[in-house]
Amino acid sequence: MRSLRTQVAIVGAGPAGLTLARLLHNSGIESVVIESRSREYVEARIRAGVLEQGSVDLLDAAGVSARLHREGIVHHGIHLQFDGERHHVPLSQLSDGRAIVVYGQTEVVKDLIADRQQAGLPLLFEVSDTAVQGFQDEHPSVSFTHAGERFQLHCDVIAGCDGFHGICRAAVESRLSLFTREYGYGWLGILAAVAPSSEELVYSNHQRGFALLSLRSPEISRLYVQCDAADDIANWPDSRIWEELQIRLGVDGWELAEGPILEKGITGMRCFVAEPMRVGRLFLAGDAAHIVPPTGAKGLNLALADVAVLADALTHWYSTGSQSGIEHYSEDCLRRIWRAEHFSNWMTSMLHRVDDQPFSRRLQLSELRYVTSSEAGARVLAENYVGLPWASSRAPV
Ligand code: RFL
Ligand code: PHB
């Protein structure tokens, strides 16, 4: 077994782990990032696409936003569609000028990996048999196999940024309280080589189920249809997907352009929160600690908010010896997380086909009418969607 030493061992090279590594480097703190997948796999994984203003500001401060500003597309509003009509929600107008940027998570990850490799800092792909030890006392370490060799990475702190299926939360799960909600339905998502048919996102509540029109670039559309969480992608030939999208997104006087489907997959929807997010010297961040249904576009943004709080807390600890930031890490993050859980659950319940009860549908339509006709209603959606301000302590206001 080869022995290594660093200050912060980061498990997982998703947006949380990679951004944390960069923020720590900016504060002069060393880290080693280990990732179970290959670089090619991580860079090809299609996921989120919407960055809140606070996330863009964080990537600016981290120094990894040059391409984001060149290629990201700033959006000042979204559309909500129901009952055959499309309504515009002017997000920026309702939230003191704040906006969102459409820039694929895949691109954020590519930028962070390129940045780390250019700086010559340790980032190991294709590690296996990862295990965490010693975080209950002052001697944490992470063991793993890389290129056929077994390593033990000694550190001051372990950051568990290894996603929902990672090993870090699993290692401490008996000490956590877990909160879960399963929806029974999911999203079938496609990436299509066709110019987006709408400049802004369209969230549609249709009797047959939810649909969403989003985008990745002026040439690439990203679209979703609600389906059963247990559905098999084999049941969805391309023609059926387009047929459903045409029905659910259709409005008079507008056309949805179709194109070759480049990628497709089904994801179940759930809420999940693990509390607390720290056990001794092991900190959980991002999807390792919480999941939101994607309807509020919050998952990536929460992951970035967590590591902003964690980087601040660790910087404070290394520079002053004070543990106050570390001790408040979980509490500071969880306030923002529960706000996002509530918002994501609200958007999900308002927009999906939840059951076959006419009563449920009447309630949804009433709520959608309120949100699209009352400024107060629209403001609630807008300020949550663009993201509540990050206070200087990084805790939500
Ligand atoms: P990730 O991205 O899952 O990264 C975790 C990494 O850890 C690695 N790993 C390990 N590495 C070493 N050893 C082990 N034992 C390991 N086990 C796992 C994994 O390979 C992986 O590389 O978690 P992170 O960094 O916390 O980031 C979270 C985001 O990925 C996630 O919240 C978002 O993608 C959610 N999400 C969205 N969020 C938004 O903010 N806006 C959106 O528009 C949005 N849309 C979405 C979404 C998620 C979706 N899916 C696929 C669930 C749309 C969809 C369809
Ligand atoms: C996406 O573009 O992938 C996307 C956009 C908005 C959401 C979820 C996903 O709410």
Side-chain angles (χ1 to χ4, degrees):
M1 170 109 69
R2 242 177 91 183
S3 188
L4 303 172
R5 161 94 211 154
T6 190
Q7 290 176 296
V8 181
I10 301 177
V11 186
L18 290 165
T19 305
L20 177 63
R22 173 67 207 220
L23 293 171
L24 293 176
H25 178 61
N26 290 356
S27 295
I29 300 168
E30 277 178 19
S31 65
V32 172
V33 185
I34 60 165
E35 164 61 47
S36 54
R37 303 287 192 164
S38 67
R39 178 175 180 175
E40 296 68 39
Y41 183 94
V42 169
E43 290 191 342
R45 199 164 40 190
I46 305 298
R47 288 211 173 156
V50 174
L51 291 171
E52 292 175 359
Q53 181 91 54
S55 298
V56 174
D57 295 346
L58 180 74
L59 295 169
D60 280 342
V64 280
S65 58
R67 194 162 70 95
L68 185 162
H69 287 293
R70 277 200 311 274
E71 297 177 19
I73 307 169
V74 180
H75 281 202
H76 296 283
I78 56 169
H79 297 285
L80 290 184
Q81 185 172 318
F82 55 95
D83 235 4
E85 284 182 11
R86 193 170 285 177
H87 303 258
H88 189 242
V89 182
L91 297 174
S92 299
Q93 201 179 303
L94 294 162
S95 64
D96 297 329
R98 294 165 77 78
I100 52 162
V101 176
V102 175
Y103 187 66
Q105 176 172 329
T106 316
E107 307 309 317
V108 174
V109 164
K110 280 187 204 159
D111 293 345
L112 287 160
I113 291 174
D115 173 75
R116 187 144 180 103
Q117 297 223 318
Q118 214 165 6
L121 296 168
L123 166 54
L124 307 178
F125 289 99
E126 297 180 74
V127 307
S128 57
D129 301 317
T130 314
V132 289
Q133 307 91 18
F135 47 85
Q136 297 279 47
D137 52 39
E138 311 266 293
H139 304 288
S141 65
V142 180
S143 47
F144 58 91
T145 302
H146 180 60
E149 200 173 349
R150 192 82 188 142
F151 290 87
Q152 187 161 21
L153 174 60
H154 298 277
C155 54
D156 300 327
V157 160
I158 302 169
C161 302
D162 49 348
F164 185 66
H165 300 288
I167 54 104
C168 289
R169 188 186 68 254
V172 291
E173 210 152 90
S174 62
R175 291 160 201 277
L176 307 178
S177 300
L178 307 180
F179 303 87
T180 314
R181 173 166 290 179
E182 299 279 346
Y183 292 88
Y185 45 83
W187 282 11
L188 187 164
I190 63 164
L191 207 59
V194 59
S197 298
S198 164
E199 276 186 15
E200 290 180 330
L201 274 65
V202 183
Y203 287 83
S204 174
N205 170 315
H206 190 276
Q207 245 159 333
R208 292 173 68 92
F210 171 77
L212 169 62
L213 167 62
S214 180
L215 63 149
R216 284 294 176 274
S217 72
E219 299 84 33
I220 304 283
S221 299
R222 176 79 170 145
L223 298 121
Y224 298 94
V225 279
Q226 178 184 352
C227 64
D228 199 277
D231 209 339
D232 187 341
I233 196 72
N235 294 330
W236 289 86
D238 294 2
S239 56
R240 181 177 172 207
I241 298 174
W242 284 116
E243 211 173 289
E244 258 335 295
L245 285 166
Q246 292 288 0
I247 296 171
R248 298 185 194 185
L249 289 168
V251 277
D252 285 345
W254 177 82
E255 287 222 353
L256 173 64
E258 300 182 10
I261 295 182
L262 307 172
E263 198 257 1
K264 58 180 170 179
I266 293 177
T267 321
M269 312 217 347
R270 64 160 67 87
C271 287
F272 174 83
V273 182
E275 293 184 0
M277 289 166 63
R278 168 195 169 210
V279 176
R281 296 281 188 93
L282 171 65
F283 295 79
L284 300 175
D287 278 16
H290 44 78
I291 296 285
V292 283
T295 329
K298 288 282 164 262
L300 168 60
N301 296 294
L302 281 181
L304 296 180
D306 287 354
V307 295
V309 178
L310 185 53
D312 272 1
L314 293 173
T315 302
H316 189 59
W317 180 49
Y318 278 113
S319 58
T320 68
S322 158
Q323 300 217 3
S324 65
I326 288 175
E327 276 159 11
H328 288 108
Y329 167 69
S330 178
E331 191 189 321
D332 284 354
C333 291
L334 283 164
R335 267 195 284 161
R336 169 174 284 272
I337 290 160
W338 278 111
R339 177 88 299 279
E341 294 285 345
H342 180 275
F343 175 65
S344 305
N345 178 66
W346 176 63
M347 288 284 281
T348 300
S349 321
M350 180 166 71
L351 287 163
H352 289 73
R353 178 179 174 144
V354 289
D355 54 35
D356 293 328
Q357 310 266 334
F359 188 81
S360 309
R361 180 142 185 83
R362 293 286 191 287
L363 289 182
Q364 285 186 327
L365 292 176
S366 168
E367 184 142 40
L368 282 161
R369 271 186 216 112
Y370 178 64
V371 164
T372 51
S373 60
S374 147
E375 188 179 312
R379 208 178 273 282
V380 170
L381 191 151
E383 73 167 6
N384 280 279
Y385 194 90
V386 300
L388 291 159
W390 297 23
S392 56
S393 68
R394 305 279 191 200
V397 284

